[in-house]
Structure formats: C-alpha cells, structure tokens
Amino acid sequence: MSRHRRLPVILALCAAAGLALSACATPPSSAPLPDPPASDAAPGDSLGSLRPAPPEGEVMAQGTVMDVAGDVELCLGAIRESFPPQCDGIPLAGWSWNGVDGSETSGDVRWGAYALQGEYDGEAFTVTQPPIMLALYDPMPIPSEPQEPGVTDEDVLLAIQQELPDRLGGSILTSMAQEGRLVVDVVWDDGTWQKAADEDYGQDVVVIRSALRPVNP
C-alpha cells in the first residue's frame, strides 16, 4: 500500500478465532434470519457514517508535490522536518516535472510547493492545468464574516478531537482547539461533514475546513 492514507473499511469476518466452520454456513431459507447487531452509534451520531461526494467540477489545491522514485503524491497537510522532507498525501495523477520550476531534489526524492487545479475523485487528484509555484500564487480571497469567540470548554473540544480520527480517518489534515471551537482541516468537504458535526456536537463547536476548494463555487 502506498504511503497515502485511506479510510479503513472494517469487515466482520466469520473466520474469527474460536468459531466453528459450520457457523459460516448460510442458514436455510426456512430458518429465521438473526437480527442485525445493534449499532454502537448514538442517535444523531452521523459524522462517522457519512462521506462527502467527490466534487462535480474542478478544484484548487495548495500543497507540496512529493515524488519518491516516481511515486507522486500531493501533501495538503503538515510536512515532517527531515531531509528530504516527508509527508502523507493523496495520489497525484497527470503530473510531470517537465517545465516546472521551484523543485528540490535529494537522491530519488523530488519535491516542491505548488497551487494545482484539477479533478478529485475521492481518492486521487488529477492535474488538468499547469502548476503554479506556491510562492507566486495569489489565491482569490475567501469571504468570511467576523465571528465572536466560541463558548465550548477546551476540555470538551479536546475530547472531541480524540474521537475524530476514528470517525474521519486519514481525511483529517490538522485539528486544533481555537477560541472556543475545534477547527478541523480535511482533504475535501462539500458541507456534508460540517452539517454532521453540527448535528452531533451542536452549532459552532466543530468547524470543518476543506483544503480542496471549487474553482467555480
């Protein structure tokens, strides 16, 4: 498996230790089927059960392109301080270093920071336009309204922060308790996870921010 992280899919396997093989047999049609196991999720516990649909149009991304011996990823989160640097990203398709400035190399590793336009299918990012060096990129401002500080206690926010990796997995880039809110950066959200967070924790407690942004919002 490549270094990028993906959401785990947990399969209930009948071959668990201690179970007889006969327990795996399909019951005859005349036998009553067992009731499904009860869910551990609390009512309204939707953040861990929903996933945003991939964007319909092209999106912009700002991050580090990391090429390790031809395995190219787009890192949207933190870069580990080493030389060469290391990061966990999403697969990057359609990438070529031809004519691209602003990169560094060390051994079989080549990297650089760029603004990219392309398509995201929920797993990989496909470049559709020439990259722009991030140092030269002038992004469109994101309109926002000034907000008063949140009112949620930091201990509550830190408890929620501990829950989120189990719910959102590798989609989380960073999370931080800040001014009475938990600010969570993810690879992509179309509002699905923000709505779920509001339902699960209440309004203005968890703020979900998408690293990928639509080109034409």
Side-chain angles (χ1 to χ4, degrees):
M1 178 176 292
S2 66
R3 292 173 296 110
H4 62 273
R5 302 165 61 187
R6 301 185 180 177
L7 291 175
V9 177
I10 301 178
L11 302 178
L13 298 180
C14 190
L19 290 182
L21 291 176
S22 59
C24 295
T26 302
S29 58
S30 60
L33 295 176
D35 293 331
S39 172
D40 292 333
D45 190 9
S46 56
L47 189 57
S49 61
L50 300 176
R51 186 177 177 87
E56 295 182 357
E58 295 192 347
V59 291
M60 290 297 302
Q62 299 179 50
T64 299
V65 174
M66 186 70 62
D67 182 347
V68 180
D71 183 10
V72 188
E73 294 183 335
L74 172 60
C75 298
L76 300 169
I79 307 297
R80 292 189 284 277
E81 294 184 358
S82 61
F83 192 84
Q86 302 176 62
C87 61
D88 298 307
I90 58 178
L92 185 60
W95 177 261
S96 172
W97 290 105
N98 291 335
V100 176
D101 297 325
S103 67
E104 298 182 64
T105 59
S106 176
D108 62 355
V109 180
R110 186 173 182 178
W111 70 96
Y114 303 96
L116 305 180
Q117 180 173 330
E119 299 173 342
Y120 179 64
D121 64 3
E123 296 289 341
F125 188 99
T126 301
V127 178
T128 59
Q129 300 292 331
I132 303 172
M133 290 176 55
L134 204 54
L136 304 177
Y137 181 61
D138 185 16
M140 293 292 292
I142 301 172
S144 61
E145 297 181 1
Q147 291 182 319
E148 296 294 327
V151 297
T152 305
D153 185 80
E154 184 171 352
D155 289 340
V156 174
L157 298 177
L158 294 179
I160 295 173
Q161 186 181 42
Q162 294 298 315
E163 297 176 1
L164 291 185
D166 289 335
R167 296 196 179 197
L168 302 182
S171 290
I172 298 178
L173 301 174
T174 62
S175 62
M176 177 183 297
Q178 180 178 331
E179 295 187 335
R181 302 178 183 86
L182 183 64
V183 179
V184 183
D185 292 315
V186 299
V187 174
W188 164 250
D189 184 35
D190 60 357
T192 298
W193 277 342
Q194 182 63 71
K195 181 179 179 181
D198 292 343
E199 292 176 351
D200 290 351
Y201 301 114
Q203 295 283 338
D204 204 32
V205 176
V206 177
V207 177
I208 306 289
R209 302 191 304 193
S210 177
L212 301 180
R213 299 187 179 277
V215 173
N216 299 307

